Amino acid sequence: MLTTIEKIIFIALALISAGFTFHGFKTIVDSIRKGRSAPELKNVPMSLVKGAVTVLFQRTIFKARKGLSAIHMGLFFGLITYAFVNLFDVLEGLVPGFDLVYGGKHIPNAPTGLVNAFNLIADVMSMFLLVAIIVFFVRRFIVKDKALTFRENILLNPKVKAGAQNTDSLIVDIFVIMHVIAHVLSQAYRLTDGADPFMPFASFLNSIFGASQTGVHVAWWVSLGWVMFIIPYLSRSKHTHFFMSPINLGLAKQNPRGQLDAPAKVDPGAKFLHDLSWKRVLDSYACVQCNRCQDVCPANFYGRPLSPSALEVNKRYLLKEATFGSHPDLYLLPLTETVISPEAVWSCTTCYACVRVCPVGNEPMADIVDIRRRMLVDGAELDSGVQNALQSLATNGNWMSKGKRLRGRWAKEMEFPVKNATEEPVEHLWFVGDTASFDERVIPNTKMVARLFNQGGLDFGIMYQNESNAGNDVRRVGEEGLFEQLVEQNMEAFGKAQFKQIVTTDPHSFNTLKNEYPQFGGKFEVKHYTVTLLKLFEEGKLTIKNKLSHYKVTFHDPCYLGRYNGGFTAPRKLLELLGVEFVEMPRNCENSFCCGAGGGQIWMGKVAPGERPAENRIKEALSTFGESANAKTQLFVVTCPKDMVMYSDAVKTTGNEGRIEVRDMIQLVAEGVGVDA
Ligand code: SF4
Ligand code: SF4
């Protein structure tokens, strides 16, 4: 189809485009390689195949925004189809007589059925692509969906603030619209014998514009010319994610969700961009900039200056300016000045919601913990509450400023002896945790757990003053040294004990004992108390005497039991056994909404203005229960001592006392079994 001179021009342009594309991706790879090492990945080829399959079937995008995700899926398949469309367009241009219209009847021995099928798919996908891109265009530029924006108090790269994301999107939207229309027009102009039933869209345009050789040439050049511009441009735009997201998913975290990567021994944590591991640098290239993570972030909801997506977007634009913009000096600016404000760093609850919802496997939370680590090493000023908690943890092994010997005081008040697991062998070593051991509001529940374990004939013991805080939140605050000290203390205590299994009250302790102690040689079987209790029921060692059908109940999945460790089933089975009327809140299981206490937030002295996540959650529960007159007592059931404290406060501060009560699961089980407080 093309003349010789056109072919020469095309090949020259294609080579220039390939050169710029190569340079673009080489620059990206070089910047990723500057990152620190990440934990070793196993079986990388197979992981990359899995990543590609995940992207191919769009497995990760439906975790949120289902309608838009369906349109995105259509867009994705449209673009995949267009990779082949462009290939055949090139062949039509370069190979004389190669023409797919009318089933490829001008090509000797062409598989007509196959060609017709391809033509039909390409034609339909062209229409779908146009519709999909117009939907996204309208969403961003006409409706100006707030979900794509950032609040004023969030640190943003100046280019992002000036609208660089919109410019990028506009260029790509215009490209797709022009490219698709030009391609279909080029096919329409080829239809010299009238309509092709397998190309309805092109045939329609042919009925308007007719056939034209000049039209074929012009449309072909517009369509393919755009491609030669856009491919190198993509490596310099936010749309790098087309190529980098499958790689990012393929190289995703292989260690458990609840295990933070250990910091570097020298200069731990991250002050500058390339103090982050290469994987965290790759995250920013894979980021779709969809803000799904911002939607689910409890700190963002609370009005704090934190947006996990802004963090990734800022990293991306910083990288772009430092590499393509030739400003390597930008690498020398601290992350707390370029990608996330110090206040935002200290707003994170480490709830993992951002990581869970991210369609491309990014871990903004891991960046935040790394930045905290370095801030602590550099002597950053800490919130006074956090400072006090850390000091107490260092001296007392608990954050509540209580003497070590007081840890087992509640046990001494029991009507039966509670074994000291460091002095006599037990089957179950009960790791009670700080809140359940010291907080007067929670101790009655702790005693109920003990009574139920005792009634169920569980051979258990606690470590009394030998137990120290497990360190989950200490590590997430960034105090790795203190975390290691606590691990050492507990490991020493475990060393004195003989036990088969650890059972915990607190999901935070559960998480770190199960997932992080193995990093220090502590490989134990660890269970949450809800699992242990369920087993006692299943084995017939505990039985329900009183059905609790007078309660209407909803259940809050704590982040560190649910989202981190998949502990969704046992609490719900217990509620079923108890015979309560159970209603599920809209945000449940993996999608549960954090209470706002994790990652050291519970220690923070200052309370920010605005509706707290726990208050919002209480409102969610009440709206789930509905306004209908119901004689049943409405309960908000928790399985974490911190939740007991957070939600009891939230019921008061939202003025909902009398409408809803917060109960620990153990209180319901005790009532069902008939064990007195
Ligand atoms: S871990 Fe939770 S609080 Fe922290 S950035 Fe992610 S969603 Fe926000
Ligand atoms: S980090 Fe993930 S969820 Fe957040 S904006 Fe980027 S792609 Fe979207």
Side-chain angles (χ1 to χ4, degrees), residues 125-137:
M125 274 302 178
S126 300
M127 282 183 273
F128 195 88
L129 257 180
L130 280 180
V131 172
I133 209 73
I134 287 167
V135 167
F136 286 119
F137 179 88

Side-chain angles (χ1 to χ4, degrees), residues 28 32 238-249 279-289 312 316 358-362:
I28 289 173
I32 293 170
K238 78 186 184 78
H239 295 85
T240 322
H241 75 261
F242 290 164
F243 310 99
M244 305 311 273
S245 56
I247 297 172
N248 199 45
L249 280 166
K279 182 64 186 56
R280 302 280 76 80
V281 181
L282 173 60
D283 281 353
S284 64
Y285 287 112
C287 180
V288 188
Q289 306 192 4
E312 294 299 351
R316 177 74 184 86
C358 179
V360 299
N362 283 353

Side-chain angles (χ1 to χ4, degrees), residues 486-530:
L486 293 168
V487 173
E488 207 175 299
Q489 285 165 205
N490 281 318
M491 290 288 283
E492 200 184 318
F494 292 144
K496 289 182 197 159
Q498 280 181 51
F499 59 94
K500 288 190 181 150
Q501 194 180 88
I502 294 176
V503 54
T504 76
T505 332
D506 183 346
H508 297 241
S509 312
F510 170 71
N511 179 68
T512 196
L513 289 169
K514 178 171 183 264
N515 297 312
E516 294 184 321
Y517 276 48
Q519 288 174 306
F520 301 87
K523 292 189 180 150
F524 312 109
E525 194 182 345
V526 188
K527 302 277 185 232
H528 186 247
Y529 81 89
T530 48

Side-chain angles (χ1 to χ4, degrees), residues 278-563:
W278 63 265
K279 182 64 186 56
R280 302 280 76 80
V281 181
L282 173 60
D283 281 353
S284 64
Y285 287 112
C287 180
V288 188
Q289 306 192 4
C290 62
N291 287 10
R292 280 173 164 84
C293 52
Q294 178 177 270
D295 287 353
V296 296
C297 174
N300 188 275
F301 165 82
Y302 189 12
R304 309 301 305 275
L306 172 60
S307 161
S309 47
L311 167 65
E312 294 299 351
V313 170
N314 287 337
K315 275 161 63 187
R316 177 74 184 86
Y317 280 88
L318 179 67
L319 278 161
K320 186 176 171 180
E321 287 171 64
T323 52
F324 295 110
S326 307
H327 294 297
D329 47 315
L330 290 174
Y331 283 141
L332 303 177
L333 293 176
L335 292 166
T336 45
E337 287 174 24
T338 49
V339 307
I340 183 169
S341 69
E343 201 190 329
V345 169
W346 294 110
S347 304
C348 176
T349 69
T350 66
C351 69
Y352 205 79
C354 54
V355 185
R356 203 281 307 181
V357 83
C358 179
V360 299
N362 283 353
E363 293 184 61
M365 190 196 87
D367 293 26
I368 293 172
V369 173
D370 250 350
I371 295 170
R372 285 179 175 184
R373 283 170 171 165
R374 180 64 73 83
M375 286 174 84
L376 286 183
V377 170
D378 289 349
E381 200 186 325
L382 281 179
D383 172 278
S384 59
V386 176
Q387 217 164 356
N388 291 342
L390 295 178
Q391 257 159 20
S392 172
L393 282 156
T395 36
N396 305 312
N398 66 73
W399 61 271
M400 306 183 90
S401 301
K402 303 279 185 184
K404 286 184 181 185
R405 295 203 167 269
L406 294 177
R407 188 177 279 276
R409 195 174 64 180
W410 66 267
K412 299 205 170 112
E413 294 163 4
M414 297 301 294
E415 56 281 7
F416 54 86
V418 176
K419 286 185 185 174
N420 185 335
T422 59
E423 290 173 359
E424 54 185 316
V426 290
E427 270 190 40
H428 294 81
L429 188 153
W430 179 14
F431 196 95
V432 187
D434 291 2
T435 313
S437 298
F438 298 112
D439 192 315
E440 294 300 336
R441 294 166 292 182
V442 181
I443 282 177
N445 295 344
T446 309
K447 290 180 174 174
M448 274 187 223
V449 176
R451 287 192 187 103
L452 282 160
F453 282 173
N454 188 49
Q455 179 148 334
L458 197 80
D459 178 26
F460 74 97
I462 64 173
M463 298 201 294
Y464 289 87
Q465 70 270 27
N466 290 310
E467 180 186 307
S468 298
N469 181 290
N472 190 74
D473 298 313
V474 175
R475 194 174 211 197
R476 276 139 191 91
V477 159
E479 239 304 2
E480 187 73 12
L482 179 54
F483 169 67
E484 287 180 18
Q485 179 190 317
L486 293 168
V487 173
E488 207 175 299
Q489 285 165 205
N490 281 318
M491 290 288 283
E492 200 184 318
F494 292 144
K496 289 182 197 159
Q498 280 181 51
F499 59 94
K500 288 190 181 150
Q501 194 180 88
I502 294 176
V503 54
T504 76
T505 332
D506 183 346
H508 297 241
S509 312
F510 170 71
N511 179 68
T512 196
L513 289 169
K514 178 171 183 264
N515 297 312
E516 294 184 321
Y517 276 48
Q519 288 174 306
F520 301 87
K523 292 189 180 150
F524 312 109
E525 194 182 345
V526 188
K527 302 277 185 232
H528 186 247
Y529 81 89
T530 48
V531 171
T532 308
L533 283 178
L534 182 65
K535 191 155 178 268
L536 291 177
F537 281 113
E538 286 170 348
E539 290 171 350
K541 293 177 179 163
L542 284 178
T543 46
I544 303 287
K545 288 198 186 116
N546 314 308
K547 284 282 181 186
L548 307 183
S549 54
H550 52 292
Y551 291 138
K552 191 169 182 180
V553 165
T554 193
F555 174 67
H556 167 73
D557 291 279
C559 305
Y560 279 95
L561 179 64
R563 189 158 38 242

